[in-house]
Amino acid sequence: MRRSRPLRWLPLAPATVVLLLFLAGPIVYCVYIAFTDMQLTGQESTSFVGLANFRRAFADHDFLNAVVLTLVFTLVSTVLGHNLLGLSLAGLMRRASKPVRTVTGAVVICAWVVPEIVAGFLLYTFFERRGTLNALLDWLHLPTQNWLFTLPVLAVSLANVWRGTAFSMLLYSAALSDIPTEITESAEVDGATGRQRLWHITLPMIRRSIGTNLMLNTLQTLSVFGLIWAMTRGGPGNRSQTLPVFMYDQAFMKALIGYGTAVALLLLLVGALFSAVYLRLLREEV
């Protein structure tokens, strides 16, 4: 005897209730807060202000500066850093000896598993004025500077590359191992150079892996907070204040929960736009 349609969905009811309470509920409440003037302190009642928080954001020079810095941080970290370095390491490790692969893989993966806040303090001691980088430059008789003051965005971007390249390396290693060796060997016999094999064989065959890696790393990079907060706290001034740091500053340091939540929704929109572009690129060509 066939069960009725409501009974077939009954086993999913507990999971559905949990998702509604602990996932959908907070999301809906955050959306509501973004349209209010809610503050952490010094407020007797909360009022609905409509789109005022969003209009304030687009008129706020600090918010626009945070958007630009977030895009620069994402471009340097994800597009140029994680992907190029991860693909290069994956390609080199395929040709390296087993001891070299073991040591390199262990070093890169150790950087990946380090907690974000710990990585931030480690890289702070590396880029700080009296840190490791300047000590090496001084030993080589090269000019030194306070990297966290003169080039804060570049410093936090390189720190994020150091920490997150392992994921790209592992993903590309798996993708490269799936390329049939007969294809590359045939191209090599036909006289194709290494650059030609890379451009016409390797990259087209791992196109979907590249798109997936770009999307996942971009979404992760857009949400980086602890690393930047530990290294610069968005400074000096606001020269490394990305959107997550700006959102935290407005919501918790200045107690403007409504405005900070509106910024969080705009950050969510930025991530959605990146995802839409990458998903478009991931479609099969007709």
Side-chain angles (χ1 to χ4, degrees):
M1 182 177 178
R2 297 181 61 186
R3 292 183 298 175
S4 62
R5 186 175 296 272
L7 291 178
R8 284 188 293 175
W9 290 99
L10 187 60
L12 296 177
T16 304
V17 172
V18 170
L19 287 175
L20 289 175
L21 287 176
F22 297 102
L23 183 62
I27 291 176
V28 172
Y29 184 60
C30 285
V31 173
Y32 163 73
I33 292 176
F35 293 90
T36 68
D37 62 351
M38 182 180 291
Q39 299 181 22
L40 281 178
T41 58
Q43 186 181 36
E44 295 182 358
S45 61
T46 300
S47 302
F48 185 81
V49 296
L51 298 175
N53 287 327
F54 298 94
R55 288 195 293 266
R56 174 181 176 178
F58 287 108
D60 188 346
H61 173 75
D62 291 336
F63 169 79
L64 299 178
N65 175 73
V67 172
V68 173
L69 291 177
T70 300
L71 294 177
V72 172
F73 177 64
T74 303
L75 176 65
V76 175
S77 296
T78 300
V79 179
L80 299 180
H82 291 157
N83 280 275
L84 290 181
L85 185 57
L87 182 58
S88 300
L89 286 174
L92 291 174
M93 288 182 67
R94 291 194 69 191
R95 296 172 174 82
S97 62
K98 186 175 180 179
V100 173
R101 289 200 305 268
T102 303
V103 173
T104 304
V107 171
V108 176
I109 292 175
C110 283
W112 185 35
V113 299
V114 170
E116 188 177 78
I117 191 68
V118 176
F121 281 114
L122 288 174
L123 272 300
Y124 172 81
T125 61
F126 181 78
F127 287 108
E128 200 263 334
R129 184 172 61 84
R130 293 170 295 179
T132 308
L133 178 58
N134 279 341
L136 292 173
L137 293 175
D138 185 63
W139 181 70
L140 295 171
H141 302 288
L142 295 174
T144 62
Q145 58 183 306
N146 188 349
W147 302 96
L148 296 176
F149 182 83
T150 56
L151 298 169
V153 174
L154 180 61
V156 296
S157 298
L158 293 177
N160 192 51
V161 171
W162 174 83
R163 183 176 180 270
T165 299
F167 177 81
S168 299
M169 183 190 72
L170 294 174
L171 190 148
Y172 285 136
S173 295
L176 292 174
S177 64
D178 289 336
I179 298 177
T181 55
E182 303 83 36
I183 297 179
T184 54
E185 289 174 355
S186 299
E188 188 174 359
V189 170
D190 291 338
T193 63
R195 181 179 299 178
Q196 290 173 332
R197 294 197 301 272
L198 172 66
W199 188 256
H200 297 288
I201 297 176
T202 303
L203 293 181
M205 296 193 72
I206 64 171
R207 179 177 61 88
R208 296 185 66 83
S209 296
I210 294 174
T212 301
N213 188 57
L214 276 170
M215 181 173 66
L216 295 176
N217 272 302
T218 298
L219 295 179
Q220 185 275 331
T221 300
L222 286 174
S223 64
V224 169
F225 169 78
L227 187 73
I228 299 175
W229 188 258
M231 292 182 66
T232 65
R233 294 202 173 189
N238 59 359
R239 291 168 54 197
S240 62
Q241 191 178 63
T242 59
L243 280 175
V245 179
F246 177 78
M247 174 187 65
Y248 178 86
D249 178 66
Q250 297 297 317
F252 298 104
M253 304 299 289
K254 297 180 180 177
L256 302 175
I257 289 292
Y259 182 47
T261 307
V263 174
L265 290 184
L266 293 174
L267 177 60
L268 182 64
L269 179 61
V270 172
L273 291 176
F274 273 106
S275 298
V277 172
Y278 290 142
L279 289 174
R280 174 73 177 178
L281 296 175
L282 281 172
R283 289 182 182 178
E284 292 287 349
E285 294 182 356
V286 180

